[in-house]
Amino acid sequence: MDLEQEAAAQLQQSLKKHPALNKQHVLTLGGPDPYGLVDPEVNEEGRANTNIGLKWDVQLALRKAFLGQREAAEFVSGALAGAMAKAVLAPLETVRTRMVVGVGSRSIPATFVEIVQEGGWRGLWAGNAVNMLRIVPTQAIEFATFEAVRRALQENQHRDNNGCNSWVDAFVRRLSPVAVGGAAAGIVSTLICHPLEVLKDRLTINRAAYPSLGAAVVKINAEAGLGGFYAGLCPTLVGMLPYSTCYYFMYDAIKRSYCRANKKTSLSRPELLLVGALSGLTASTISFPLEVARKRLMVGAIRGKCPAHMVAALSEVLREEGVAGLYRGWGASCLKVMPTSGITWMFYEAWKDILLGNKQLPNF
């Protein structure tokens, strides 16, 4: 008997001992039941009881069966989803970045025309090579971190209440696994992939000074050393924390609310596209002023004047352009963020289905 069959057998024994354990405790929301783990004759009263968790011996058997498979699938799914989204929407990213940092025209159509006049149609994909190098590891790390942290907190919160022996355990149980997972995803991916973000911005903003990826690496290293690749790291983390937290939290909240309202257990691809787009819009709107300040700090050296810190950057924008300046480029950002977020989530869920097949894992 292989590990998967052993896990299924142990889980069926647990279900016989705890008939109130319903399908949502055993399978991912909307997933199939390839091993016949849920008794179809369990009464409605038993199915309504959602407070019984799996025993630790069953959880351990499932970990042995699927350890590495789910994590690898989530890692690869994130990478593929990010790459696909960026390949399609690279021109909007180029337009958005130029408008956010104040380079060229203040309107989306005029900025688009300027980019084409300066570098031809290929100019719309300026920095896309490094962008793809950036997005693949970033999205892979981000989604994998989110899923791992979320699962860890959910498992902790579903333990027997007798296991709560300290104020730390009590505090952890009050946290939102999705929000904490989102925050962790943003921080970890930023710390690891920030140098690629710096390279991408330099290639996008000043193609003349940084004609290629290799030239950008050499010039940044010559001018500022290794620290140059981490320019603006602190403001990036400050801006990423609220965005990433809100982004994942809103996706989960909107998805769950929509499923409850429409009495669904899973969403179609178009519905995932819409939910993902709305979560991206909400997160971007909340954190956009910090994004403006972050971009100004990161490319300040190119423009010849760099604010001392994020507060100084925000003050500079308010002094020069007023409150409206904090949302300069917001329209272009939404045109980029909404489809990117929607496409990314749609492909992420699709790739997870493909890579995991019918072996849906418990969603504790």
Side-chain angles (χ1 to χ4, degrees):
M1 180 181 294
D2 61 24
L3 287 175
E4 293 176 19
Q5 292 173 334
E6 180 183 349
Q10 290 195 36
L11 189 51
Q12 286 209 22
Q13 291 178 2
S14 180
L15 287 169
K16 290 178 181 178
K17 296 178 183 177
H18 305 282
L21 190 62
N22 64 34
K23 187 170 184 175
Q24 287 188 351
H25 286 101
V26 181
L27 302 173
T28 301
L29 189 63
D33 183 14
Y35 299 116
L37 300 178
V38 180
D39 184 356
E41 296 183 359
V42 172
N43 60 46
E44 291 300 321
E45 181 180 356
R47 289 184 179 276
N49 186 349
T50 61
N51 296 318
I52 297 179
L54 292 174
K55 291 295 184 180
W56 281 107
D57 59 338
V58 177
Q59 291 188 25
L60 185 59
L62 287 166
R63 284 184 181 279
K64 289 180 180 179
F66 296 110
L67 184 59
Q69 179 177 335
R70 181 167 192 165
E71 288 77 6
E74 290 162 352
F75 186 89
V76 174
S77 296
L80 292 173
M84 289 179 172
K86 285 298 180 184
V88 174
L89 301 168
L92 288 177
E93 169 70 6
T94 302
V95 171
R96 183 187 74 93
T97 301
R98 287 173 65 101
M99 293 190 68
V100 166
V101 300
V103 175
S105 176
R106 298 193 177 191
S107 70
I108 296 174
T111 300
F112 183 88
V113 172
E114 285 177 359
I115 294 172
V116 175
Q117 290 176 342
E118 292 173 6
W121 289 102
R122 293 181 61 184
L124 293 171
W125 278 267
N128 193 51
V130 71
N131 205 23
M132 295 299 285
L133 291 175
R134 176 187 69 88
I135 201 63
V136 169
T138 298
Q139 289 293 286
I141 293 169
E142 191 170 311
F143 276 109
T145 301
F146 165 71
E147 298 281 13
V149 173
R150 177 185 61 82
R151 267 198 305 275
L153 284 175
Q154 286 179 334
E155 287 178 11
N156 180 278
Q157 292 177 351
H158 279 80
R159 289 178 184 172
D160 192 336
N161 289 331
N162 293 331
C164 184
N165 298 319
S166 69
W167 66 269
V168 176
D169 291 329
F171 175 75
V172 169
R173 291 172 188 277
R174 293 179 179 273
L175 297 175
S176 166
V178 176
V180 175
I187 292 173
V188 172
S189 64
T190 298
L191 289 174
I192 295 175
C193 302
H194 185 75
L196 293 174
E197 177 72 16
V198 172
L199 288 169
K200 189 268 296 183
D201 283 340
R202 297 295 177 92
L203 289 169
T204 301
I205 300 303
N206 196 339
R207 193 67 176 180
Y210 305 94
S212 67
L213 175 59
V217 171
V218 172
K219 185 169 184 177
I220 294 173
N221 185 63
E223 293 176 349
L226 182 61
F229 294 98
Y230 285 90
L233 177 61
C234 288
T236 296
L237 288 173
V238 172
M240 176 57 70
L241 187 60
Y243 175 83
S244 185
T245 303
C246 182
Y247 178 63
Y248 286 94
F249 181 82
M250 290 305 300
Y251 176 79
D252 183 76
I254 295 173
K255 182 179 177 181
R256 288 178 180 274
S257 297
Y258 184 86
C259 285
R260 283 196 298 267
N262 293 276
K263 297 181 179 179
K264 291 187 172 185
T265 57
S266 62
L267 299 182
S268 65
R269 301 305 176 207
E271 289 171 330
L272 288 171
L273 182 70
L274 177 60
V275 171
L278 291 175
S279 65
L281 172 64
T282 304
S284 179
T285 301
I286 292 173
S287 63
F288 196 78
L290 295 176
E291 172 73 0
V292 172
R294 181 181 75 86
K295 290 289 187 182
R296 288 211 171 194
L297 286 171
M298 289 185 66
V299 300
I302 299 176
R303 301 182 62 194
K305 59 174 185 176
C306 184
H309 43 72
M310 179 168 282
V311 175
L314 290 171
S315 299
E316 180 182 287
V317 174
L318 287 171
R319 184 173 60 255
E320 295 177 357
E321 304 179 49
V323 176
L326 295 176
Y327 283 90
R328 181 183 178 185
W330 178 79
S333 181
C334 288
L335 288 177
K336 176 257 179 182
V337 169
M338 290 182 69
T340 298
S341 178
I343 292 172
T344 299
W345 276 110
M346 181 182 68
F347 278 121
Y348 176 68
E349 300 284 7
W351 277 111
K352 276 208 309 182
D353 290 345
I354 293 171
L355 295 176
L356 289 174
N358 289 332
K359 296 173 184 177
Q360 297 291 337
L361 305 177
N363 187 21
F364 297 108

